[in-house]
Amino acid sequence: MEHQFPPLKNDLILRVARGEKVERPPIWVMRQAGRYLPEYHQAKGGRDFFECCRDPEVASTLTLQPIERYDGLLDASIIFSDILVIPQAMGMTVEMVDKKGPHFPNPLRSPDDGQYAEVLKRDVDVAKELDYVYKAITLTRKKLQGRVPLFGFCGAPWTLFCYMVEGGGTKMFKETKTWIYKYPEETKALLQKISELCVEYLALQVKAGAQLIQVFDSWAGELSPSSFKKFSQPYLTYIAKHLPPRLKEMGLEPVPMVVFPKGAWYALDAACDMGYNIVGLDWLHDPADAVKTVGDRPIVLQGNADPGVLYGSHASITEVVTEMVKGFDWANRKKGWIVNLGHGITPFVNPDDLKFFFQEIHRLTKTDAQ
């Protein structure tokens, strides 16, 4: 049964994703629903982070908070969830430790540790295990009342693999590097399994009401160019290749797909050929160089202000926005760019400074027709 949703009032980001010329670049930011907002802490209350993800009412409330606070300034919402729900669905325990981040009490240490074989052979029912995400998406679409489109997302296979073997965030990637250089075939088998789950998970998010999807490869930059070709690129490509036909099988239209290989600056050219409509840039990219790399391919770029500028002065924010608008050649192109930060909003950002960032984008990209 197809859901009935209110008509969309702002389709700017969908028009840009289709390659159309538009009146101004659409804006959204990664982690726009989150802990920098005072209202987030009020709504979260005493709940654990994953409890919020698993409660569709709470997740939808948190998703809507930035849309309501920045009314008229944002052009997309992104469902409040986490990339690590897939390892959870695969049977691994993941906890969110306050002020530390995600923690796997029992990570995968080697192909012989017993858990690896269990995870690999487990028949994961993504529809059942992650039903709370789909319910949150459907509820959020209804609550949005067509104000802006809604993103669904997943973590990229490589990034999820890193968490599953490291047991959490890391600076050294000791366990990850041990796996890829000692157990490359076992690593690839697990990456393939994760890729297949990602396709089904994203398809079910679209069925629930997601209008765009993003694949977050947050740890892509930890790979050398040759390792990226072996352990990230094939699996990102697999998702882009298999999601549209899976949607077709389900009687659904394809949706715009974003890939965000953070830190893998060397892979921009390859990312443009993976089958995604939109490529996310982190702040290590020079926008003008990125536009040249894309060339005449029908690829939209998303990004890429340094999130750290939001700790700075308004004059610094204006300078960064001015450079971005010029770098993406907006005045001449009027297409091919979705405004975002180069990664998620960091904690302790003043929400009013983010508002100023949005207002400056609007001011510096406005056309007389608006």
Side-chain angles (χ1 to χ4, degrees):
M1 189 192 85
E2 285 218 24
H3 297 288
Q4 293 299 311
F5 297 116
L8 190 57
K9 298 168 193 163
N10 175 354
D11 66 347
L12 184 62
I13 197 166
L14 299 177
R15 286 187 281 132
V16 167
R18 291 194 292 263
E20 295 176 22
K21 286 201 169 192
V22 292
E23 57 277 17
R24 64 173 178 83
I27 310 169
W28 74 282
V29 293
M30 292 176 269
R31 293 203 200 115
Q32 65 188 31
R35 55 190 171 163
Y36 74 103
L37 292 173
E39 55 266 41
Y40 166 82
H41 298 280
Q42 289 161 12
K44 182 174 181 275
R47 295 178 190 87
D48 161 77
F49 174 84
F50 283 116
E51 273 180 75
C52 294
C53 296
R54 289 189 198 105
D55 185 324
E57 187 60 54
V58 176
S60 64
T61 296
L62 296 173
T63 302
L64 286 168
Q65 285 178 341
I67 304 305
E68 283 158 0
R69 178 183 272 265
Y70 301 118
D71 185 33
L73 293 172
L74 283 169
D75 300 295
S77 53
I78 182 164
I79 194 65
F80 183 84
S81 186
D82 195 83
I83 63 170
L84 298 178
V85 297
I86 285 186
Q88 286 177 331
M90 295 173 83
M92 296 188 76
T93 302
V94 190
E95 303 159 348
M96 195 61 76
V97 181
D98 198 33
K99 297 187 173 63
K100 187 186 168 196
H103 172 64
F104 288 67
N106 187 23
L108 300 172
R109 282 300 181 222
S110 85
D112 307 317
D113 74 356
Q115 191 183 189
Y116 172 81
E118 276 175 39
V119 167
L120 209 56
K121 73 175 186 228
R122 181 175 282 120
D123 184 17
V124 182
D125 185 346
V126 183
K128 176 171 164 277
E129 295 292 339
L130 299 174
D131 182 57
Y132 59 88
V133 178
Y134 319 129
K135 284 193 168 116
I137 286 172
T138 302
L139 183 58
T140 304
R141 272 293 301 275
K142 288 174 178 165
K143 284 188 184 179
L144 274 167
Q145 290 292 304
R147 280 175 282 180
V148 293
L150 177 64
F151 266 94
F153 70 91
C154 73
W158 165 252
T159 291
L160 297 179
F161 171 81
C162 290
Y163 278 109
M164 289 163 76
V165 301
E166 293 290 346
T170 176
K171 287 183 179 169
M172 281 182 60
F173 290 85
K174 173 183 172 285
E175 305 301 333
T176 310
K177 298 298 171 83
T178 301
W179 273 83
I180 66 171
Y181 292 118
K182 202 177 262 188
Y183 316 117
E185 294 313 310
E186 292 88 344
T187 297
K188 288 174 184 174
L190 185 52
L191 288 166
Q192 180 59 30
K193 166 101 177 181
I194 298 168
S195 304
E196 290 163 13
L197 294 175
C198 286
V199 169
E200 192 63 16
Y201 178 46
L202 291 171
L204 289 166
Q205 288 185 60
V206 174
K207 184 184 177 188
Q211 291 149 291
L212 311 92
I213 63 91
Q214 176 155 320
V215 180
F216 286 85
D217 208 353
S218 310
W219 297 122
E222 292 305 320
L223 288 163
S224 69
S226 68
S227 293
F228 181 86
K229 285 176 189 163
K230 291 178 200 161
F231 300 107
S232 176
Q233 188 172 325
Y235 306 101
L236 292 172
T237 304
Y238 180 93
I239 293 170
K241 183 180 176 186
H242 288 85
L243 180 58
R246 179 65 186 121
L247 291 172
K248 195 175 178 184
E249 274 174 23
M250 295 163 76
L252 299 165
E253 291 296 315
V255 298
M257 302 183 293
V258 187
V259 65
F260 179 52
K262 183 180 175 288
W265 54 268
Y266 50 77
L268 176 57
D269 186 52
C272 292
D273 291 331
M274 285 178 189
Y276 293 85
N277 313 89
I278 300 154
V279 176
L281 306 177
D282 59 41
W283 68 95
L284 303 179
H285 288 272
D286 177 273
D289 289 346
V291 169
K292 278 185 203 151
T293 300
V294 171
D296 59 4
R297 288 176 285 192
I299 295 292
V300 174
L301 293 172
Q302 177 176 279
N304 73 330
D306 179 354
V309 75
L310 298 174
Y311 296 130
S313 64
H314 280 194
S316 293
I317 292 171
T318 299
E319 185 182 353
V320 164
V321 169
T322 304
E323 285 172 1
M324 259 203 314
V325 171
K326 189 179 172 190
F328 286 106
D329 195 20
W330 183 257
N332 292 313
R333 296 172 70 232
K334 295 275 191 275
K335 65 173 189 172
W337 179 36
I338 295 167
V339 182
N340 209 309
L341 299 174
H343 198 209
I345 297 168
T346 42
F348 314 114
V349 161
N350 182 332
D352 290 337
D353 292 332
L354 181 60
K355 183 178 185 179
F356 181 76
F357 172 81
F358 295 149
Q359 288 170 331
E360 286 298 85
I361 294 285
H362 280 260
R363 181 177 73 82
L364 292 163
T365 59
K366 212 181 260 183
T367 61
D368 296 335
Q370 278 180 276

